């Protein structure tokens, strides 16, 4: 387990629903479709939430990596 | 699907209308004309929206990548 | 069209009047004279606008790229 | 001891409970599962705390390194 | 003219009085003595201005490039 | 003395008590155990202080370098 | 004079008293002992000033370069 790298964890989450917490305090929730080493991330069937409440349905979302605080299972 | 990269998703959106959410809380909406690996992005027939309302018509817009929060279909 | 890069769009705007929106919420308006890959940008006959109103005439302006939000035709 | 590098300290904390203090003033607490040279970090059985109070149970959390202020034993 | 680079413009301003607008809303005014590709800049006989008013005489000033918003003739 | 590099100064402080001032206005105080060229820093027997008052005892602290304002003897 | 680089100016200030203005609006004043290309800087006999008033005597201070706004003679 010691040699596990952080991006391996993201890899295991592909195809699953995740919460992406952003630096502007919003959350994007959707199915994790793709990511890269900059943590640029793509969600499918994505929604924007503010304080846990759905604010907008967005569909496919390309998120710039440097806006990400954390990603966890939805 | 596992090997899809985030920028491939942007590539599929070329020529389509997208919302570009910015770090200053504004949205730019227009037809996705070009982007690069820094997420520098060009929209055509672009408009600036604040809280969903059109504030300015801007035409062709070159957006610096580090201002982008996310890009999704309009 | 698919292979157009964002900086090509800036190149087409050389010699034309542009608005440079900055991260500090100000706009610089002038003739686009030069730019580089960092989006460092030079305007001629430049003016500073705040909320659309001319605040200062500045002449030639060297703008540091990382302050740029977007550039569009004036 | 003089040649110890900061990431060696993180390495000794693998599998142990840690507090990850974030730039947005929140704390994530959980078992340190993985990290890399950017300080991208993965916690297991993670919880979000604000001012020391549990706010959300999050499970596995991928944290982007540039959001980290410090990491210490929980 | 099309091949002019932004730093060429700064080069033409060497030895002349310039305004350096900073990200913290202050202006430094003085004679442009030196700069490099990071836009690290040195002014001679420099003064700090806030809202156009002289606040401090500083003499030679080394300015870190990433604090610069723009540089224009004084 | 002219050729002394900044990190040499940190090296002389190894094993001594230091104050690490952070960008979020907090101070971490402890024994300097390790640092690297990014100024990632490890303190032992560390405490968090706010406005000079001990707020939390933290033990071993890994501090991400880009949060550091300055480091000086405690 | 045209080929002078900004760091040459800092080099001339070695051993002299300087003001280091920081992004958090504080000033550190002391004898310039060392600096590097990132503008990481070491002061000796350093003091922290806020609005020109001495707040703390700090002794030797290692300052992370990316916090520096400008450096000028004290």
């Amino acid at each position: 387990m010691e040699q596990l790298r952080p991006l391996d964890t993201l890899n295991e989450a592909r195809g699953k629903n995740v919460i992406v917490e952003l630096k502007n305090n919003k959350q994007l929730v959707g199915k994790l479709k793709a990511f890269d080493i900059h943590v640029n991330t793509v969600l499918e069937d994505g929604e924007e939430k503010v304080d846990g409440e759905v604010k907008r349905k967005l569909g496919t979302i390309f998120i710039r990596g440097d806006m990400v605080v954390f990603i966890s299972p939805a």
Side-chain angles (χ1 to χ4, degrees), chain A residues 6-19:
Chain A
L7 293 178
D8 295 335
T9 302
L10 283 189
N11 212 30
E12 289 165 13
R14 275 185 199 263
K16 295 179 188 159
N17 284 316
V18 295
I19 303 173

Side-chain angles (χ1 to χ4, degrees), chain A residues 29-60:
Chain A
V29 182
K31 191 156 71 172
L32 182 62
K33 197 175 158 191
F35 64 88
D36 62 22
I37 56 164
H38 307 292
V39 197
N40 292 324
T41 300
V42 175
L43 300 184
E44 265 188 328
D45 299 323
E47 294 178 336
E48 183 186 306
K49 291 187 173 188
V50 180
D51 297 323
E53 232 172 282
V54 177
K55 210 182 118 187
R56 274 193 290 176
K57 289 186 180 295
L58 291 162
T60 302

